[in-house]
Amino acid sequence: MQDIFRGLKVIELANVLAGPSVGQFFAELGAQVIKVENARTGGDVTRSWLSRSETPNPARISAYFCCANFGKQSIVLDLQKEEDKQLLYSYIQDADIVLASYKAGDAQKLGVDYETLRTLNPLLIYGHITGYGKEDERVGYDAIIQAEAGFTYLNGESSGGPVKMPVALIDVLAAHQLKEGLLIALWQRERLRKGAYVHVSLFEAAVASLANQATNYLNTGTVPRRLGSEHPNIVPYGTVFPTADNKEIVLAVGTDKQFRALCQVLGMSTVAEDRRFRDNAARVHHRNELLPLLRQAILQWNKDELLQALRAHKIPAGAVNRMDEVFQTPQAQKLILQHPHTPFKGLRQLVAQIEGYAWHHPSPPPPYQEPPRTGTKPDAQ
């Protein structure tokens, strides 16, 4: 797919994860992406977010920074200096997309808001991520919005307290929303020859992603509660079961036919005929009686032996993998970005495969570098 966006120019005025992951998405498809980093803050803040197992390096690249910055060119500008702002404006004149993640009002103060930039380039498409909307000046932080949008309350064991999800999922969801909006705007520009302002808030992206948990509440008035890894509408679905060899598996039994097959494999066919468990509605109502029976039966099996038997009977099940086990799978291996001349690795933002197109292999994440004071622009790809 390397030629799909060849010739497209993207200017990234965004930090952390949501906006930069959109930038990498376009870079993976062959676009020229110029990442503009803030000289006053030492560049994208994630450059300094090193885990305990990392050591600083001269390029100021962290593992976190690697997750959303492959395939870009990077320059460092101070947009409060007129010289740097004019240099940015020169990039904007022939750009196709600007990605921004300023809180409400900040882009206007810096002179990089859509209304200002469209005077330089009427065909410009401006993608803007905020925390709570165009009129709300609060900064959006993923962990806070996970809590405010209901995810943290729902996440965790029923016997415990609320738990944040282990990745910045709201940033990821907002990035997908912005990609969709930008692709719509690009299609509209092809037809109507006009630019567009595309806005996504982290909070709205989060609420829109509550899916069945939201509609369970909207249609019944009942507030969803924490169920650990269990599912509010299906049993057994998502529940983690230990095995005899101290491993763990997850079941995703979505039909009555699959449940009967599960009981057959586990040697408990009479349970499938019990009126308390005969259909999914009954199993949801009697989950606290069913799950201990399943747990006791599954504890008689070793993980690999049980998974093989379940898959042979087309019963959805999988192992609870550690990160190293995830990347031993061929599906995960092909998503790794590894530049041949650097130690840095990342992951693809795009996993869709389109017939007739090959994946573009983007360059490693950009090092921290000073702006070109001569007024020259980065070379086009």
Side-chain angles (χ1 to χ4, degrees):
M1 290 179 274
Q2 63 186 49
D3 295 325
I4 290 178
F5 285 136
R6 181 70 60 184
L8 195 80
K9 183 176 179 180
V10 179
I11 308 297
E12 182 183 299
L13 306 174
N15 280 304
V16 190
L17 182 57
S21 70
V22 178
Q24 182 176 310
F25 163 79
F26 282 105
E28 288 178 21
L29 292 168
Q32 180 191 21
V33 180
I34 301 172
K35 182 178 182 69
V36 179
E37 302 189 53
N38 187 348
R40 291 180 176 245
T41 61
D44 191 314
V45 65
T46 63
R47 288 185 181 275
S48 65
W49 289 1
L50 277 69
S51 65
R52 291 183 63 181
S53 56
E54 290 181 84
T55 55
N57 56 76
R60 297 195 63 230
I61 295 174
S62 67
Y64 196 113
F65 186 76
C66 286
C67 79
N69 288 293
F70 270 72
K72 303 174 185 178
Q73 300 165 275
S74 182
I75 60 170
V76 183
L77 297 177
D78 181 351
L79 296 182
Q80 295 186 38
K81 293 181 177 179
E82 190 60 29
E83 176 188 6
D84 285 13
K85 186 181 300 185
Q86 291 302 320
L87 182 58
L88 175 63
Y89 286 169
S90 71
Y91 301 158
I92 298 294
Q93 289 173 0
D94 62 350
D96 296 285
I97 295 172
V98 165
L99 303 173
S101 58
Y102 298 106
K103 68 180 176 67
D106 280 4
Q108 287 83 353
K109 293 174 186 176
L110 291 171
V112 291
D113 56 296
Y114 175 59
E115 294 301 324
T116 298
L117 299 186
R118 73 188 297 192
T119 63
L120 304 172
N121 182 351
L123 294 180
L124 185 69
I125 295 171
Y126 191 103
H128 189 191
I129 291 179
T130 64
Y132 300 90
K134 294 179 286 184
E135 308 303 324
D136 194 320
E137 295 185 358
R138 286 178 292 169
V139 177
Y141 293 96
D142 184 278
I144 304 301
I145 293 176
Q146 282 192 35
E148 293 176 332
F151 283 87
T152 306
Y153 179 84
L154 286 170
N155 195 35
E157 294 298 329
S158 57
S159 58
V163 178
K164 181 186 77 67
M165 290 176 289
V167 296
L169 187 61
I170 308 306
D171 278 0
V172 174
L173 294 170
H176 286 309
Q177 291 277 0
L178 186 60
K179 292 171 196 173
E180 292 167 5
L182 291 171
L183 293 175
I184 292 169
L186 282 169
W187 174 243
Q188 176 180 267
R189 191 179 70 172
E190 289 298 308
R191 299 172 62 204
L192 304 179
R193 299 300 298 164
K194 68 175 187 177
Y197 174 80
V198 181
H199 171 258
V200 170
S201 80
L202 296 176
F203 187 80
E204 290 174 339
V207 173
S209 302
L210 287 170
N212 61 291
Q213 295 284 11
T215 55
N216 282 347
Y217 164 71
L218 292 172
N219 286 282
T220 69
T222 301
V223 176
R225 59 189 177 89
R226 281 185 293 283
L227 293 172
S229 63
E230 295 177 28
H231 197 288
N233 302 77
I234 316 169
V235 176
Y237 193 103
T239 310
V240 177
F241 295 98
T243 56
D245 53 348
N246 294 317
K247 304 292 185 179
E248 292 173 316
I249 69 161
V250 171
L251 296 175
V253 177
T255 70
D256 297 333
K257 179 180 179 181
Q258 290 172 347
F259 180 71
R260 289 192 294 271
L262 170 67
C263 290
Q264 180 181 352
V265 169
L266 295 177
M268 47 192 295
S269 297
T270 56
V271 171
E273 300 306 321
D274 190 311
R275 60 179 178 80
R276 296 172 298 171
F277 315 130
R278 194 171 296 163
D279 58 36
N280 182 67
R283 293 193 294 275
V284 170
H285 188 71
H286 295 282
R287 74 167 71 228
N288 291 336
E289 299 155 75
L290 173 61
L291 295 180
L293 298 175
L294 292 174
R295 186 168 289 107
Q296 183 180 6
I298 289 171
L299 268 173
Q300 310 308 310
W301 294 72
N302 287 333
K303 181 198 75 171
D304 291 340
E305 181 185 10
L306 177 56
L307 288 177
Q308 184 177 0
L310 294 175
R311 290 166 184 167
H313 287 78
K314 297 182 170 55
I315 301 166
V320 178
N321 286 336
R322 301 188 311 262
M323 194 66 69
D324 56 335
E325 294 169 322
V326 172
F327 283 100
Q328 289 168 10
T329 66
Q331 296 92 338
Q333 279 286 319
K334 69 179 183 180
L335 300 180
I336 298 173
L337 295 172
Q338 170 68 73
H339 194 267
H341 305 301
T342 77
F344 302 115
K345 296 180 181 179
L347 288 176
R348 293 190 175 278
Q349 299 295 319
L350 177 68
V351 301
Q353 298 181 38
I354 301 175
E355 185 178 0
Y357 291 90
W359 263 350
H360 175 63
H361 194 96
S363 58
Y368 184 87
Q369 61 187 58
E370 291 301 312
R373 296 298 173 184
T374 59
T376 58
K377 300 181 183 180
D379 294 333
Q381 293 181 335

